[in-house]
Amino acid sequence: KQEVTQIPAALSVPEGENLVLNCSFTDSAIYNLQWFRQDPGKGLTSLLLIQSSQREQTSGRLNASLDKSSGRSTLYIAASQPGDSATYLCAVYVYQFYFGTGTSLTVIP
Amino acid sequence: EADIYQTPRYLVIGTGKKITLECSQTMGHDKMYWYQQDPGMELHLIHYSYGVNSTEKGDLSSESTVSRIRTEHFPLTLESARPSHTSQYLCASSENIGGQGLSDTQYFGPGTRLTVL
């Protein structure tokens, strides 16, 4: 069974800092990997999706990378803002999505 | 902007009641999912569907049942709610790429927070 781990579980940074969130998975035979953000009491919002043939995807201040052979993905957030405060989840797809427990990010003004 | 809706958003009921959580999407997606999420824990897949008249159980065992009579609608039913069913239930949908079981971006509804007393 696929297991997805996210480190760190929580992160607090001052506004303006660049930061990296990590995601690792045990089975490299994935079809794609997706990063989400979840705000308290709400559903998930898709941020980036990386297909298995891709190595990275970018959207605005976000950049996600994928290294299937090592079972790792990173989400890079540039110039963090207080509005980035949320829980960030990664999920890998192998006929169904497997989610990590997330990294809770707090950006301090 | 994804168009996937869940009702009710919050539900507090007594033990033994039958409940149905509604989920609908207007994107014409074939694949739909139900996840259960406890506070601080990862999402666990409890049901999914590849299309009309298709329903499958996910990795997490659940006493709930689902139906898929229409593409846009994927309701979840608990025949007799218990306190152990207290959780957040999230519905999602995605396109089915190439008909090979692959999947594109998942879109999530806002969730239903269920409390069973």
Side-chain angles (χ1 to χ4, degrees), chain A residues 1 4 31-32 34 36 38 40-46 48-49 51 89 91 93-102, chain B residues 9-10 31 33 35 37 40-43 45 48 50 58-59 88 90 97 100-106 108-110 113:
Chain A
K1 180 187 171 187
V4 182
Y31 287 116
N32 61 49
Q34 196 165 1
F36 297 86
Q38 184 175 28
K42 296 186 179 180
L44 279 66
T45 301
S46 177
L48 290 165
L49 179 138
Q51 300 291 353
L89 301 170
Y93 183 77
V94 186
Y95 295 108
Q96 71 175 58
F97 282 96
Y98 295 91
F99 283 82
T101 53
Chain B
R9 292 291 313 280
Y10 303 92
K31 298 188 77 171
Y33 316 80
Y35 293 91
Q37 184 183 32
M41 303 295 290
E42 64 265 37
L43 277 74
L45 182 68
Y48 61 100
Y50 286 117
D59 280 356
Q88 170 147 297
L90 292 162
I97 297 175
Q100 296 173 9
L102 302 184
S103 185
D104 204 346
T105 301
Q106 273 195 121
F108 278 80
R113 187 166 295 279

Side-chain angles (χ1 to χ4, degrees), chain B residues 36-73:
Chain B
Q36 185 173 339
Q37 184 183 32
D38 293 321
M41 303 295 290
E42 64 265 37
L43 277 74
H44 287 287
L45 182 68
I46 52 175
H47 298 284
Y48 61 100
S49 167
Y50 286 117
V52 171
N53 294 326
S54 154
T55 61
E56 303 286 344
K57 289 188 178 294
D59 280 356
L60 183 66
S61 175
S62 174
E63 294 167 345
S64 59
T65 59
V66 293
S67 63
R68 190 86 182 276
I69 298 173
R70 303 198 314 265
T71 298
E72 64 270 22
H73 198 212

